[in-house]
């Protein structure tokens, strides 16, 4: 039996209890709203844009080539990240009580 039950503003319910002296939390619904996933995706894309631009420049010696590689990655990255997050949200592995 859980020690407490908590519900966040998105309706996700968390149950926490103590198992073998360690606190255990099980989330019964995905915590990230679509809006949160979008913001995380855009921030991740910005980080990737800068990183890919620097790596591309380091490997090619050309700002144009490095920038082009970064731009292509920035176009594909947000959709791939959002898909990745949503797929993991649907996988119950690692959330078992």
């Amino acid at each position: 039996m859980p020690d407490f039950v908590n519900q966040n503003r998105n309706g996700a319910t968390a149950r926490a209890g103590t198992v073998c002296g360690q606190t255990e939390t099980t989330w019964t619904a995905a915590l990230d709203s679509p809006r949160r996933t979008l913001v995380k995706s855009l921030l991740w894309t910005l980080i990737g844009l800068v990183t890919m631009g620097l790596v591309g420049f380091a490997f090619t010696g050309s700002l144009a080539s490095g920038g082009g590689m970064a731009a292509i990655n920035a176009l594909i990255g947000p959709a791939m990240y959002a898909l990745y997050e949503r797929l993991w949200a649907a996988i119950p592995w690692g959330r078992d009580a």
Side-chain angles (χ1 to χ4, degrees), residues 1-96:
M1 189 73 163
D3 295 327
F4 67 89
V5 175
N6 185 24
Q7 188 170 17
N8 75 4
R9 63 185 172 168
N10 294 326
T13 302
R15 286 179 163 63
T18 305
V19 177
C20 297
Q22 295 183 350
T23 301
E24 179 182 274
T25 302
T26 303
W27 295 100
T28 58
L31 295 178
D32 285 354
S33 68
R35 186 175 183 179
R36 178 179 164 89
T37 300
L38 176 64
V39 170
K40 288 170 59 179
S41 176
L42 293 174
L43 290 173
W44 182 250
T45 299
L46 180 62
I47 292 167
L49 183 67
V50 172
T51 303
M52 181 60 83
L54 292 173
V55 169
F57 175 70
F59 274 88
T60 65
S62 166
L63 287 175
S65 293
M69 292 167 55
I72 290 169
N73 186 59
L75 292 173
I76 298 169
M80 296 306 299
Y81 181 78
L83 177 63
Y84 176 80
E85 283 286 318
R86 289 297 171 195
L87 287 173
W88 269 107
I91 297 171
W93 176 79
R95 293 182 183 169
D96 324 12

